[in-house]
Amino acid sequence: MAAPAHAAQAATGQAQTYGNYIGGEWRPAASGETFEDRSPANTDDLVGRFASSAKEDVEAAVAAAAEAADGWRRTSAVARANILHKAAEILASRQEQVGRELTREEGKTLKEGIGETGRAVQILRYFAGEAQQPSGEHYPSMNPLTLLYTVREPLGVVGVITPWNFPIAIPAWKIAPALAFGNTVVFKPASLTPLCAVRLVEALAEAGLPPGVLNLVTGSAGAVGDPLVRDPRIAGVTFTGSNAVGADLRKIAAETGTKLQLELGGKNPAIVLADADLDHALTHVVSGAMMSTGQKCTATSRAIVDRSIAAAFTERLVEKVKALKVGDPLQAETQIGPVISEDSAERIAGEVDAAREAGANLLAGGDRPSENGHGRGHFVAPTLFGDVDPASKLGQEELFGPVLGVIPVDGMDEALAVANTVRFGLSASLFTRDLGKALTFAREIQAGVVHVNSETPGAEPHVPFGGMKGSSSYSREQGKAARDFFTQTKTVYIDPPPA
Ligand code: ADP
């Protein structure tokens, strides 16, 4: 590629300006306005300026996607797969650079940033393969001469709305299947992580996607997200984000009739039984709760521990949590970076204070360290509470930060009852050596992703992912399940003409 794909990019001091990608062109917002993207580890670090778009930009993007829809629908699945393969190789060649940018923009550690970029590559490869898998079924008919079969057809134009916590993997796991199965896309990333979105779109554009097949519009939720989900040309919306926004989208989709997929929050339990390998359980509970600064929808936020081992287990948890190294996520020794924003840090600190006032037993953390020495990062100390009341706010509501509560219980039955008495059901873990209990857990736990002897966030990209109860819209993402959302079924009867 001779010129950078983002033609709207221009040097402005240290930081560059990035445009929207609409109809195969990088261009500024119609208003010409931009917004700033700053590193959560150091707000002096300006990552870039991005198009501050509005309704007219969304309309242009949807129009481009609608115009491209027939051409892309009629493109062979093999040709679509080839483009996804090529995009995977382009992104793979930039994994280190994009991973570093991800860390700078989102704040997770460098290892996690590079790892997540690798995961996006893997997802693109997977859906390149999946595009070529059998689609639809052949049925016997009451009439022996009838050819009766189903085909999966694309929805048309799909809106992809993504959060900041997995700023390249989540867009990849929505966009790759949308494109693989023949949809065109308007992509609105979180305003806190637009650079990762640009990098993913660049890879796909450079791989040869025809103009209009994938369109990127950056900007705020109200100015971009809202007109996007209300646009009558949008056939489906896939959203990962907060419960509050998910609830709003349900109402809008009920009015517009848009097909909707939601991945929302969790209050994920890790049950530790008395017979568990405690070293192993400790490692996985701490990692499940604290990696990515606790900002995974699948993060462990409740350690439900058998009372006979609760005191000893908690004592060791305190040591481990206090030993975590908080700091600049670009430094190799850092284990915990900042949270995403000052708003988020203040909200988490407020919830921690409220929990203390309500009587929760603070055992570690609870404060706001200024780890980069100048107080310009949104740091929250890894925080542990003991003896958490399962009915309390801390025991029920998602904090989306590095905060873990220990809930002592008497045995497996109570552990399951506590684990299930929340409105969410995304992921859950059990630590035990007892096969019977493992099987009971797998059967009884109300969660879409279930682990025995591994942490709650583990999720491989080629299998279905999603939650039960309030955690999702019952649909599943990734793996073969992705085809269900991004296609619709047509049933075809073909009879021979009368002889
Ligand atoms: P998070 O803070 O985890 O990113 P949000 O639910 O606030 O979760 O945002 C997820 C994505 O949804 C972001 O891209 C955001 O801009 C977008 N969004 C937020 N509110 C709306 C809305 N009312 N309509 C459409 N998109 C929205």
Side-chain angles (χ1 to χ4, degrees):
M1 281 260 121
H6 37 84
Q9 179 178 321
T12 40
Q14 292 270 308
Q16 291 178 321
T17 299
Y18 301 86
N20 290 326
Y21 186 66
I22 298 176
E25 282 175 13
W26 292 92
R27 47 166 124 148
S31 66
E33 284 177 22
T34 60
F35 66 92
E36 289 183 345
D37 173 21
R38 291 182 178 272
S39 172
N42 175 7
T43 53
D44 287 341
D45 179 13
L46 180 60
V47 174
R49 291 188 177 82
F50 293 83
S52 183
S53 311
K55 195 172 176 196
E56 53 194 315
D57 303 296
V58 175
E59 283 176 352
V62 177
E67 204 183 316
D70 276 344
W72 188 242
R73 175 169 69 80
R74 294 182 187 131
T75 299
S76 81
V78 176
R80 288 187 220 130
N82 286 342
I83 293 176
L84 291 178
H85 264 305
K86 197 162 174 197
E89 295 327 305
I90 292 169
L91 191 60
S93 73
R94 300 171 185 168
Q95 183 177 349
E96 194 86 17
Q97 170 225 321
V98 174
R100 185 167 282 275
E101 287 174 334
L102 193 164
T103 288
R104 213 176 135 206
E105 162 169 83
E106 198 272 350
K108 63 183 66 175
T109 62
L110 194 52
K111 188 170 162 228
E112 290 172 314
I114 293 171
E116 185 185 329
T117 309
R119 188 184 181 101
V121 171
Q122 211 179 344
I123 291 165
L124 289 167
R125 285 186 186 138
Y126 174 81
F127 282 107
E130 193 58 46
Q132 298 170 84
Q133 288 299 303
S135 172
E137 288 154 336
H138 171 249
Y139 293 83
S141 165
M142 286 192 281
N143 177 347
L145 296 181
T146 301
L147 173 59
L148 177 53
Y149 64 96
T150 60
V151 280
R152 296 294 195 103
E153 295 195 345
L155 300 179
V157 183
V158 169
V160 169
I161 303 181
T162 56
W164 46 263
N165 65 328
F166 285 96
I168 199 156
I170 291 180
W173 86 43
K174 293 178 184 298
I175 291 170
L179 297 177
F181 303 136
N183 300 279
T184 59
V185 171
V186 179
F187 170 29
K188 183 251 176 281
S191 314
L192 293 163
T193 52
L195 183 55
C196 288
V198 166
R199 296 301 184 226
L200 178 63
V201 172
E202 282 175 346
L204 283 157
E206 288 175 37
L209 271 187
V213 171
L214 171 62
N215 305 274
L216 169 71
V217 186
T218 58
S220 74
V224 175
D226 194 60
L228 177 60
V229 298
R230 290 177 190 278
D231 193 301
R233 293 165 293 182
I234 295 283
V237 170
T238 173
F239 168 86
T240 298
S242 64
N243 303 301
V245 174
D248 286 348
L249 294 186
R250 279 187 215 274
K251 289 185 204 143
I252 296 170
E255 284 167 23
T256 59
T258 303
K259 189 172 183 183
L260 180 66
Q261 177 174 58
L262 302 174
E263 284 304 331
L264 308 171
K267 189 68 191 172
N268 311 302
I271 298 176
V272 185
L273 297 182
D275 73 337
D277 179 319
L278 294 189
D279 288 339
H280 180 76
L282 269 171
T283 302
H284 281 248
V285 168
V286 171
S287 156
M290 301 300 174
M291 289 304 107
S292 293
T293 323
Q295 302 171 114
K296 297 177 184 175
C297 46
T298 49
T300 307
S301 58
R302 298 179 294 157
I304 300 173
V305 184
D306 192 90
R307 204 175 298 279
S308 64
I309 54 160
F313 189 79
T314 305
E315 199 179 307
R316 294 183 62 195
L317 263 183
V318 173
E319 270 172 41
K320 278 210 174 261
V321 169
K322 284 189 171 165
L324 289 169
K325 174 94 184 73
V326 179
D328 178 354
L330 289 166
Q331 299 301 318
E333 69 276 14
T334 297
Q335 292 169 291
I336 310 284
V339 296
I340 187 68
S341 66
E342 195 52 27
D343 280 356
S344 206
E346 279 176 14
R347 181 185 52 75
I348 296 163
E351 294 290 350
V352 166
D353 286 346
R356 288 168 83 171
E357 279 160 29
N361 182 12
L362 180 69
L363 299 172
D367 54 334
R368 297 268 330 263
S370 50
E371 287 298 327
N372 57 8
H374 47 69
R376 292 187 186 278
H378 315 301
F379 291 93
V380 174
T383 297
L384 180 70
F385 284 99
D387 296 316
V388 170
D389 173 358
S392 66
K393 194 172 179 196
L394 188 59
Q396 290 287 316
E397 294 301 325
E398 184 179 46
L399 257 78
F400 223 67
V403 181
L404 174 67
V406 177
I407 303 175
V409 290
D410 290 309
M412 178 71 175
D413 289 349
E414 190 186 350
L416 267 174
V418 166
N420 283 338
T421 310
V422 290
R423 66 191 169 107
F424 301 108
L426 184 50
S427 63
S429 292
L430 173 72
F431 293 88
T432 186
R433 289 188 170 95
D434 184 325
L435 178 60
K437 293 205 168 101
L439 289 169
T440 302
F441 176 72
R443 200 169 52 238
E444 299 298 328
I445 191 71
Q446 296 164 0
V449 181
V450 177
H451 289 266
V452 174
N453 294 320
S454 58
E455 61 177 48
T456 59
E460 297 191 31
H462 58 289
V463 292
F465 175 84
M468 291 184 176
K469 303 198 281 188
S471 290
S472 94
S473 52
Y474 299 99
S475 50
R476 292 290 177 267
E477 299 193 273
Q478 303 202 84
K480 295 220 174 286
R483 198 185 290 267
D484 291 342
F485 179 74
F486 289 107
T487 63
Q488 53 191 331
T489 298
K490 181 182 274 178
T491 306
V492 184
Y493 298 78
I494 300 185
D495 284 9

